[in-house]
Amino acid sequence: MARKRIIAGNWKMNMTPSQAAELCATLKDLVVNDNVDVVYCVPAIDIVPVAQAVKDTNVQVGAQNLYIEDKGAYTGEISAPMLVDAGVKYVIIGHSERREYFGETDEFLNKKVKKAFEAGLTPILCCGESLELRERNAYIDWIRLQIRADLDGITADQVKKRVIAYEPIWAIGTGKTATADQAQEVCKIIRDTIAEMYDDATAQEVRIQYGGSMNAGNAAELLSKPDIDGGLIGGASLKPDFGQIVNA
Ligand code: PEP
């Protein structure tokens, strides 16, 4: 089956609310493409202005995090119902920066994935290996373990809807992109792992993105690979180049 492509920008901790609205205006005409789902995953404080700025366009709003409870005494956190009410459709879960700087474990991320589904949000689940794991050829086992742990207890119907982003840590923000063959190898391993856990039909529906220094120059080659259905874009999502990636 043909999977619709999905290009998501991860703005990380960039853009004040007024800068966010300006960026949406700059990108507006550049990201029009009916064959692609376009998502801006923005800082929490930018969600409301961005949702307003992209109203009546093809762009959907994503968040970069959520908490596992719906409300209560969790100072500083943001809940799934809050995101939904603000117009959010997607949420990044398990980005390597959150795993590394905020100590998020697979067990905790699995709870976040479940919470996202419960609220009707589509998780963009990130996985990826360090340079050390790649160099000692342990990356395939690592990716399989991450996928199995993060999907524990998720139904086939839920898995079909989710997006998985393969983001080798050594390629994030470094300007060092995985080659298209390296990215394809791991994206296929992710799909094969899902086929083992569920079945082939389920695996064929899951959309898998590559992320890690994707830009206007390398996007077309990466996106030409059979198991790469889109991209999660950091640095280049803050520039007009993002439009070129959407249309690559
Ligand atoms: C990311 O952090 O999700 C990412 C892919 O970043 P960059 O494109 O800047 O490498």
Side-chain angles (χ1 to χ4, degrees):
M1 68 162 293
R3 295 179 292 268
K4 190 171 183 190
R5 293 188 179 273
I6 174 163
I7 303 289
N10 174 11
W11 290 11
K12 309 196 185 193
M13 197 175 72
N14 294 297
M15 299 286 132
T16 63
S18 40
Q19 289 169 335
E22 274 172 39
L23 180 60
C24 290
T26 305
L27 294 178
K28 191 172 175 217
D29 295 332
L30 305 176
V31 297
V32 178
N33 187 332
D34 288 341
N35 299 319
V36 181
D37 281 333
V38 180
V39 186
Y40 297 164
C41 297
V42 306
I45 197 163
D46 295 339
I47 288 171
V48 171
V50 168
Q52 185 61 34
V54 301
K55 212 168 158 211
D56 303 324
T57 75
N58 60 320
V59 176
Q60 294 180 297
V61 187
Q64 298 175 10
N65 193 18
L66 53 66
Y67 191 57
I68 57 173
E69 300 293 343
D70 286 345
K71 61 177 182 172
Y74 304 100
T75 304
E77 291 299 316
I78 187 154
S79 74
M82 291 171 182
L83 297 178
V84 171
D85 189 66
V88 170
K89 302 284 184 228
Y90 292 85
V91 57
I92 297 176
I93 294 179
H95 192 280
S96 59
E97 286 153 15
R98 294 215 58 90
R99 293 180 191 256
E100 184 181 347
Y101 306 140
F102 303 97
E104 294 193 356
T105 61
D106 286 318
E107 195 188 352
F108 185 51
L109 295 171
N110 177 254
K111 289 185 183 157
K112 289 192 175 193
V113 170
K114 287 177 177 155
K115 180 52 74 178
F117 278 123
E118 191 187 303
L121 293 163
T122 300
I124 298 177
L125 175 74
C126 301
C127 61
E129 81 284 358
S130 62
L131 188 58
E132 194 257 330
L133 285 168
R134 177 155 283 263
E135 284 177 345
R136 58 182 176 83
N137 224 11
Y139 62 100
I140 292 179
D141 287 345
W142 175 260
I143 297 290
R144 284 181 180 279
L145 281 175
Q146 277 192 327
I147 294 294
R148 286 189 172 272
D150 297 341
L151 292 184
D152 187 43
I154 306 294
T155 67
D157 275 348
Q158 289 173 327
V159 168
K160 282 180 198 167
K161 285 185 215 126
R162 73 180 311 142
V163 178
I164 296 180
Y166 167 54
E167 296 212 311
I169 298 169
W170 47 272
I172 295 179
T174 57
K176 213 175 178 183
T177 320
T179 64
D181 286 340
Q182 284 174 323
Q184 162 60 23
E185 181 198 28
V186 178
C187 290
K188 178 160 187 331
I189 285 161
I190 293 170
R191 202 176 302 287
D192 290 348
T193 306
I194 293 167
E196 284 159 26
M197 293 175 71
Y198 300 89
D199 53 58
D200 198 45
T202 302
Q204 288 307 320
E205 286 198 40
V206 177
R207 293 189 290 176
I208 304 176
Q209 298 173 312
Y210 166 77
S213 301
M214 197 191 255
N215 57 42
N218 59 29
E221 195 189 350
L222 286 157
L223 294 168
S224 72
K225 294 293 176 183
D227 287 292
I228 303 180
D229 307 313
L232 182 56
I233 325 293
S237 69
L238 302 171
K239 299 188 264 188
D241 293 36
F242 189 67
Q244 284 170 262
I245 300 174
V246 168
N247 288 295

